[in-house]
């Protein structure tokens, strides 16, 4: 399998952590990619020009970390996605919170480099508020005791916040 990746992407980190958790990391060849330049190789496999993008051994291109992680879980030696029931819904809820935090933080990061405008500032404030509310939810019920897609996603989101926004108080 091959994985188009960017070293700073929290979504790629989620995929790599999931691959490690299910014992597949050694089967994946990483292809460093800058998706912002829409390189031809990535575009051939992912018309959205986004990372992560995993190309399976049989040539199927999968993109979007939720899809890739579910695929890796299905072929690997783990149970990142619990069977239907309370543990599954908990894991999927945490995945949604973690993905939402990453979406908000990545959007905020992209906006930081642009000239200040009222609309841009309002959007950045909205993204920061979404992250702050999510952190409050996580603090009220700290995810612990299970290694699953939810805890991996939350850990990757928190790592990205620390990496990109070390100096920001989200509250």
């Amino acid at each position: 399998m091959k994985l188009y990746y960017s070293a700073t992407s929290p979504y790629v980190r989620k995929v790599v952590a999931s691959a490690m958790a299910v014992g597949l990391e050694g089967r994946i060849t990483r292809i460093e990619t800058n998706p912002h330049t829409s390189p031809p190789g990535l575009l051939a496999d992912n018309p959205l020009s986004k990372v992560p993008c995993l190309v399976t051994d049989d040539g199927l291109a999968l993109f979007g970390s939720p899809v890739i992680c579910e695929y890796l879980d299905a072929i690997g030696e783990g149970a990142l996605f619990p069977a239907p029931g309370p543990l599954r819904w908990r894991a999927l809820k945490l995945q949604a919170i973690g993905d939402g935090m990453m979406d908000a933080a990545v959007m905020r990061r992209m906006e930081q480099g642009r000239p200040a405008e009222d609309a841009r500032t309002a959007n950045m404030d909205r993204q920061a508020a979404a992250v702050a509310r999510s952190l409050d939810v996580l603090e009220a019920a700290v995810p612990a005791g299970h290694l699953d897609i939810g805890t991996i996603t939350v850990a990757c989101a928190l790592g990205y916040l620390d990496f990109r926004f070390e100096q920001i108080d989200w509250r």
Side-chain angles (χ1 to χ4, degrees), residues 107-118:
M107 185 179 294
R108 189 161 196 261
R109 170 83 175 148
M110 304 264 305
E111 290 290 331
Q112 281 181 325
R114 299 178 184 191
E117 291 178 6
D118 289 344

Side-chain angles (χ1 to χ4, degrees), residues 60-128:
L60 176 65
L62 300 172
F63 29 92
S65 63
V67 174
I68 296 169
C69 292
E70 192 161 352
Y71 174 78
L72 294 173
D73 187 58
I75 67 167
E77 302 169 1
L80 297 178
F81 292 82
L87 290 179
R88 182 176 184 86
W89 305 127
R90 177 192 163 281
L92 293 178
K93 176 184 174 181
L94 286 176
Q95 177 181 223
I97 289 174
D99 281 341
M101 289 172 55
M102 288 189 284
D103 292 345
V106 167
M107 185 179 294
R108 189 161 196 261
R109 170 83 175 148
M110 304 264 305
E111 290 290 331
Q112 281 181 325
R114 299 178 184 191
E117 291 178 6
D118 289 344
R120 227 173 246 125
T121 300
N123 186 39
M124 288 176 57
D125 290 346
R126 183 174 182 271
Q127 302 311 319

Side-chain angles (χ1 to χ4, degrees), residues 20-67:
M20 292 170 69
V22 298
L24 294 174
E25 184 185 23
R27 289 187 43 197
I28 298 173
T29 301
R30 296 184 197 182
I31 301 168
E32 190 165 3
T33 305
N34 180 350
H36 302 291
T37 63
S38 298
L42 176 61
L43 288 178
D45 289 317
N46 182 351
L48 302 173
S49 191
K50 291 184 173 184
V51 293
C53 176
L54 179 80
V55 180
T56 66
D57 289 335
D58 60 356
L60 176 65
L62 300 172
F63 29 92
S65 63
V67 174

Side-chain angles (χ1 to χ4, degrees), residues 136-152:
D136 290 342
V137 167
L138 293 171
E139 272 189 6
V142 176
H146 298 87
L147 178 63
D148 58 32
I149 193 59
T151 54
I152 286 174

